[in-house]
Amino acid sequence: TTAEVVRTTSLPSKSFTTRLRPKLARSTPPPLESKCTSPSESRPSVEDIRGGQAPRVGASIALHPPKFHSAGKWLQQYSACPGALKELAVFIVFTQPEHMELFKQTMACIAPEVPEDAWVGFIAVKPKAGWRRAVGAENQMIA
């Protein structure tokens, strides 16, 4: 178990305690099992829904683990609406090719009904000075 740090702060009008959790080391998630299914063949493709016309709106989403579940659930709802598929193009940006592959595997498990062409994945080009630390406002600048 990890130790818990407790800080007590006293102000003139009240006193309160804050529990601080230590930072946990990040680890690479294991590959998913092959029990997951491929996207459903029964739904029409996005190209069939669009009828050869380009969507009017585009969304660019920066995605990294552990946010895969939230993005997968959003894609599940988005792909269930033919009007959304017709009018919105979704571009998901990853920082590493491994993350994009892991997201594809995750989608096969949590939302196999989402068509493969419901979104387009890209790998971001690493800046010359490297990625900024994802702390505070810097976290939003990366996104």
Side-chain angles (χ1 to χ4, degrees), residues 11-136:
L11 297 174
S13 59
K14 63 182 176 180
S15 176
F16 55 92
T17 301
T18 306
R19 297 193 185 281
L20 304 172
R21 287 193 231 166
K23 282 191 171 186
L24 301 175
R26 291 186 180 190
S27 63
T28 304
L32 297 174
E33 299 296 323
S34 60
K35 297 174 188 172
C36 301
T37 61
S38 60
S40 174
E41 302 282 333
S42 63
R43 282 193 177 188
S45 73
V46 175
E47 288 305 315
D48 291 341
I49 291 171
R50 290 182 181 156
Q53 294 185 349
R56 294 189 223 183
V57 180
S60 175
I61 303 168
L63 185 61
H64 57 85
K67 305 295 184 186
F68 288 173
H69 184 266
S70 298
K73 289 301 178 185
W74 182 84
L75 282 171
Q76 191 175 33
Q77 293 175 3
Y78 156 75
S79 68
C81 178
L85 286 171
K86 183 176 181 179
E87 300 298 337
L88 177 67
V90 177
F91 304 96
I92 301 180
V93 183
F94 300 91
T95 55
Q96 299 175 16
E98 298 82 16
H99 290 173
M100 185 163 73
E101 186 57 38
L102 184 59
F103 182 67
K104 288 178 182 178
Q105 293 176 16
T106 302
M107 288 299 294
C109 281
I110 65 172
E113 68 277 8
V114 174
E116 288 183 350
D117 57 351
W119 59 277
V120 178
F122 290 94
I123 307 301
V125 177
K126 185 175 182 179
K128 289 180 183 178
W131 295 108
R132 292 182 175 183
R133 292 188 57 211
V135 178

